[in-house]
Amino acid sequence: QQPVQSPQAVILREGEDAVINCSSSKALYSVHWYRQKHGEAPVFLMILLKGGEQKGHEKISASFNEKKQQSSLYLTASQLSYSGTYFCGTDQTGANNLFFGTGTRLTVIP
Amino acid sequence: EAGVAQSPRYKIIEKRQSVAFWCNPISGHATLYWYQQILGQGPKLLIQFQNNGVVDDSQLPKDRFSAERLKGVDSTLKIQPAKLEDSAVYLCASSHLALTGGQDTEAFFGQGTRLTVV
């Protein structure tokens, strides 16, 4: 039931763009995206609900393809502060009991 | 507002010993979660409470792990006896009412307790 994330790791230069993908084999109610910096707690980025619109948060946006049970996180014009591990969490029931992927480690270099 | 509080931050125990972790969620949050995060992996949900009732504990190893949330506020997670493979960070999170999903189900995580079993 754990979603699969790709890529596992990516290195960007400041200003470059990246896409992180999350795929589930189960029908989903929603997809949640979090970022975790080393030694810190995960921090919420956004939720995408079934039937909802693409969400955006400054230069970070995401989409949810319900038919394919896939979500993608788009980071544009990356900043040093974007470095961290990105996790998608999938909710199959609407009860917010998430299954998290193994994460994508993003490193932004000057 | 104050965040999710957890204690202790670090704990080292020998295998077969017992250990307990404490969590105080954000005031007014009805839903509380305990996650286990093994190094290099994503968080794994152990148990989810709605007020003081259990919503989901399907991934909780009930032969050694137990959790309670008396009075629907603070929560404790206990491991007895601990095994080497229990070494992980134990994260507590809380959110508003979650059973219907929606935009207000953002979960706020605490700093976690890093457990090392030797």
Side-chain angles (χ1 to χ4, degrees):
Chain A
Q1 301 186 55
Q2 183 181 37
V4 177
Q5 286 185 235
S6 63
Q8 290 187 340
V10 60
I11 299 175
L12 300 174
R13 292 195 179 276
E14 271 187 293
E16 292 183 338
D17 302 340
V19 179
I20 299 172
N21 300 302
C22 174
S23 179
S24 174
S25 60
K26 303 287 186 180
L28 300 178
Y29 183 91
S30 66
V31 178
H32 303 222
W33 285 96
Y34 284 81
R35 177 171 62 208
Q36 185 175 32
K37 294 184 180 286
H38 182 70
E40 299 181 8
V43 174
F44 172 81
L45 294 175
M46 64 189 73
I47 293 174
L48 296 105
L49 301 178
K50 183 173 60 175
E53 299 176 352
Q54 179 166 336
K55 306 288 289 184
H57 176 71
E58 296 183 343
K59 295 180 181 179
I60 300 175
S61 62
S63 63
F64 177 26
N65 185 325
E66 299 167 31
K67 291 183 179 179
K68 294 184 177 181
Q69 308 306 325
Q70 293 176 348
S71 178
S72 294
L73 186 72
Y74 306 94
L75 300 102
T76 58
S78 60
Q79 305 169 14
L80 294 175
S81 61
Y82 286 3
S83 292
T85 301
Y86 290 77
F87 292 101
C88 67
T90 54
D91 179 2
Q92 299 172 22
T93 65
N96 224 40
N97 44 354
L98 303 180
F99 288 92
F100 282 95
T102 51
T104 296
R105 177 172 290 185
L106 179 76
T107 304
V108 181
I109 59 176
Chain B
E1 61 183 358
V4 176
Q6 289 189 246
S7 67
R9 286 296 310 277
Y10 306 92
K11 190 74 176 179
I12 301 175
I13 62 172
E14 295 182 350
K15 59 183 179 182
R16 292 188 289 275
Q17 287 187 325
S18 62
V19 64
F21 313 125
W22 173 82
C23 173
N24 180 241
I26 292 174
S27 178
H29 279 188
T31 308
L32 185 147
Y33 317 79
W34 283 103
Y35 285 90
Q36 178 193 58
Q37 187 173 26
I38 294 173
L39 185 65
Q41 299 183 17
K44 172 187 170 184
L45 180 66
L46 294 177
I47 189 167
Q48 177 185 1
F49 292 97
Q50 189 85 335
N51 296 309
N52 60 350
V54 176
V55 174
D56 184 354
D57 64 357
S58 57
Q59 299 189 96
L60 185 74
K62 298 180 183 64
D63 57 334
R64 299 185 300 106
F65 286 65
S66 64
E68 60 181 10
R69 191 185 185 196
L70 301 177
K71 302 181 181 178
V73 181
D74 292 4
S75 177
T76 56
L77 176 70
K78 297 179 181 178
I79 307 175
Q80 181 180 15
K83 294 185 176 181
L84 295 177
E85 59 260 35
D86 297 333
S87 294
V89 175
Y90 290 83
L91 295 163
C92 179
S94 70
S95 71
H96 287 294
L97 188 67
L99 287 181
T100 56
Q103 297 303 313
D104 59 352
T105 53
E106 169 188 354
F108 294 83
F109 283 82
Q111 290 295 307
T113 296
R114 182 177 297 275
L115 174 68
T116 303
V117 183
V118 298

